[in-house]
Amino acid sequence: MIERANHLTRNVSKIISASSNCSLYERMQLINVLERLCLDHLFKEELNVILSEIYKTNDISGSDLQTTALWFYLLRKHGYQVSPDVFAKFKDEQGNFAANNPLDVLSLYNAAYLRTNGEIILDEAVSFTKRSLESLLTNLQGPLAHEVKCALEIPLPRRVRIYEAVGYFKRKQKNPREAKYYIAVHGQANEVIMELAKLNSNIIQLQYQQELRIITRWWKNLELESRLSFARDRVVECYFWIVGVYYEPSYSRGRIILTKVLAIVSILDDTYDVYGTLQECELFTSCVESWDPMVANGLPENMKFIFGKIMDTYQSIEDELSPEEKYRMPYLKNFIIDLVRAYNKEVKWREEGYVSATVEEHLQVSARSGACHLLSCASFVGMTDIATKEAFDWVSNVPKLVKTLCIILRLSDDLKSYEREKMTCHVASTIESCMKEHKVPIHVAREIIQDMIEETWKDFNKEWFNTNNHVPKELLERIFNLTRTMEFMYKQDDAYTNSHVIKDTISKLFVEHVLMI
């Protein structure tokens, strides 16, 4: 299988080289296809050269809407700051865009979601294309209908590629015609790329299975399931979540470390949410702040047990690092301490029945209790030497890219968990703060929160294009992917708590082999 994959990789590399004789659209579509099938990591240097050439050429004045939209989407997705004015020629005085078919509309829709604040033409494009796609959907069939439906749920720039790819392979087995739509490269190239994509998926799956065995063995050795009946047992879901942050084979250590951190975050969340009293949580917070096992003697037995497991996990992560990398661990510790302080503040709010006067006040605490600042830092810990001390200093200051991730998670989580949490004794959410701040009923507050999510995505995109940020894109991509996974996990439901909704995707990713037919 490996030998065949290597042979196909060489053939696809030749296809990429030969694409220099193709049209701009064909070259860009080839990149798009390889990325959506999660093959781009095999050809990173070649694809980066093509993207750089496309950006430097920077002439699409005679291109149609679909080509222009794909150009804009690919370049912005890769962090190039290109102007939305390229769409002006397609817009009439009534605010409509000259989209001649559903693919034109879909391409513009996906491109426009890489907008930033103040880009009015992209806001208009989102409004126009969303209305158009919703209207067109009733008359569409087959793969295009599926693609439009997925885009309306989560626009392409925000989707998790590895989840998408495994879903596509399964749909293709049921409907072979789907490949003809999905891959706009023809003839032999189509067959070569598809065979490599399927083989690559199966090879990576074997690695995921091996890593899952390591993770589940670690989890069982913690003996949490038998001791902490109140805590969610979601270690497979944790690993699934983290595969969305980095799916590539080379990031094995990063996946294992980040999964352990996420699993510990889940235990801490449940401890403060549903188990500890106010006094116990105060003691536990002080204990974590001290980072001293001797201080834990005053804790209740279960909390002493949890603290010990945090220490054990921290040590197991440190053991994964080389001597030159161990400087990374204090950054991780500081974020864990900040997280439990935020949890503890929410426990006080819960016991007092306190509702923040504004959403902004709420986010001062709840953006931190979502743990995304910790996860951003932890996503660097298992990386190679590309994660330098300067990168850890940067992430430890919680820069705007990380802040916006934290806000997107918090607001998205609150939208999906509000009804469930209202049935228990739970801290007031941003929805209740929004109702209080604006003096509006819940349905209006939900709309305001959804608008805030969209505005925050614009801020996130702006930071993604920030040319003054000297942190390597390979690291920033982890944060972008974390944000994408938040969109996936909280779009339809709280998929982590109600994990049955992602059961099929987990099975496709870790269990079901792609048939080589």
Side-chain angles (χ1 to χ4, degrees), residues 342 346 349 356 358-370 403-404 406-412 414 429-430 433 449 452 456:
E346 288 188 337
W349 281 0
S356 301
T358 65
V359 175
E360 181 59 35
E361 180 194 352
H362 197 289
L363 288 172
Q364 294 297 317
V365 175
S366 62
R368 291 157 49 218
S369 69
K403 286 178 183 174
T404 49
C406 293
I407 293 170
I408 289 168
L409 175 277
R410 171 49 57 211
L411 298 179
S412 301
D414 285 358
S429 75
T430 53
S433 291
I449 295 293
M452 288 181 67
T456 307

Side-chain angles (χ1 to χ4, degrees), residues 208-385:
Y208 293 162
Q209 290 170 347
Q210 183 178 8
E211 290 171 12
L212 257 177
R213 283 192 285 271
I214 294 170
I215 288 290
T216 52
R217 192 182 309 122
W218 162 79
W219 183 250
K220 287 179 180 177
N221 288 341
L222 289 182
E223 301 178 328
L224 294 168
E225 190 177 357
S226 59
R227 292 285 299 268
L228 308 177
S229 59
F230 63 86
R232 290 167 291 183
D233 184 6
R234 298 284 190 277
V235 72
V236 173
E237 290 83 353
C238 285
Y239 179 72
F240 169 79
W241 195 328
I242 299 315
V243 167
V245 178
Y246 15 39
Y247 76 87
E248 299 92 333
S250 60
Y251 295 128
S252 178
R253 185 178 71 161
R255 276 191 295 273
I256 290 171
I257 288 173
L258 191 52
T259 300
K260 288 181 178 182
V261 173
L262 181 57
I264 291 298
V265 166
S266 181
I267 293 167
L268 288 171
D269 185 34
D270 291 339
T271 299
Y272 281 86
D273 242 11
V274 301
Y275 180 73
T277 65
L278 176 58
Q279 184 180 9
E280 288 170 343
C281 289
E282 287 272 16
L283 287 171
F284 187 79
T285 303
S286 297
C287 186
V288 175
E289 288 174 331
S290 72
W291 211 256
D292 181 359
M294 297 303 295
V295 179
N297 291 332
L299 288 173
E301 282 303 311
N302 270 353
M303 285 190 160
K304 187 189 301 183
F305 177 78
I306 293 167
F307 182 72
K309 297 306 177 182
I310 293 173
M311 295 291 103
D312 291 346
T313 301
Y314 184 86
Q315 187 60 53
S316 76
I317 293 172
E318 186 169 354
D319 291 344
E320 293 274 346
L321 305 181
S322 69
E324 295 76 23
E325 295 172 324
K326 292 187 187 296
Y327 74 87
R328 301 172 178 185
M329 295 306 293
Y331 292 96
L332 194 62
K333 179 183 78 173
N334 290 337
F335 274 118
I336 294 171
I337 291 170
D338 186 73
L339 177 64
V340 297
R341 285 172 176 164
Y343 284 152
N344 195 48
K345 183 68 173 178
E346 288 188 337
V347 172
K348 291 178 182 177
W349 281 0
R350 181 189 71 200
E351 296 304 306
E352 294 168 4
Y354 180 71
V355 180
S356 301
T358 65
V359 175
E360 181 59 35
E361 180 194 352
H362 197 289
L363 288 172
Q364 294 297 317
V365 175
S366 62
R368 291 157 49 218
S369 69
C372 287
H373 57 343
L374 165 61
L375 296 177
S376 296
C377 176
S379 73
F380 291 4
V381 171
M383 300 283 280
T384 60
D385 57 7

Side-chain angles (χ1 to χ4, degrees), residues 484-503:
R484 290 175 172 125
T485 62
M486 301 305 165
E487 189 85 2
F488 175 86
M489 297 297 281
Y490 292 100
K491 192 64 179 180
Q492 300 300 329
D493 200 344
D494 176 353
Y496 181 72
T497 299
N498 303 312
S499 58
H500 63 277
V501 302
I502 54 174
K503 182 180 178 182

Side-chain angles (χ1 to χ4, degrees), residues 352-488:
E352 294 168 4
Y354 180 71
V355 180
S356 301
T358 65
V359 175
E360 181 59 35
E361 180 194 352
H362 197 289
L363 288 172
Q364 294 297 317
V365 175
S366 62
R368 291 157 49 218
S369 69
C372 287
H373 57 343
L374 165 61
L375 296 177
S376 296
C377 176
S379 73
F380 291 4
V381 171
M383 300 283 280
T384 60
D385 57 7
I386 196 169
T388 61
K389 187 178 185 304
E390 289 72 23
F392 280 93
D393 288 339
W394 175 82
V395 78
S396 70
N397 287 322
V398 192
K400 193 164 185 179
L401 192 74
V402 176
K403 286 178 183 174
T404 49
L405 159 60
C406 293
I407 293 170
I408 289 168
L409 175 277
R410 171 49 57 211
L411 298 179
S412 301
D413 186 356
D414 285 358
L415 277 180
K416 295 305 173 187
S417 59
Y418 177 77
E419 276 76 16
R420 173 176 56 82
E421 290 177 350
K422 285 297 289 180
M423 297 172 66
T424 62
C425 180
H426 201 277
V427 66
S429 75
T430 53
I431 294 178
E432 287 156 303
S433 291
C434 186
M435 293 165 67
K436 183 176 181 179
E437 178 180 359
H438 298 284
K439 298 179 175 56
V440 294
I442 184 171
H443 71 279
V444 176
R446 283 184 169 280
E447 292 172 0
I448 293 172
I449 295 293
Q450 186 59 56
D451 288 343
M452 288 181 67
I453 293 172
E454 287 303 322
E455 292 302 307
T456 307
W457 263 109
K458 293 179 186 180
D459 292 335
F460 184 92
N461 289 337
K462 182 179 179 180
E463 291 304 305
W464 176 247
F465 310 137
N466 185 355
T467 55
N468 294 322
N469 192 341
H470 301 299
V471 177
K473 279 291 185 203
E474 188 177 342
L475 298 178
L476 299 180
E477 186 76 25
R478 300 317 117 209
I479 297 173
F480 203 151
N481 286 344
L482 267 170
T483 316
R484 290 175 172 125
T485 62
M486 301 305 165
E487 189 85 2
F488 175 86

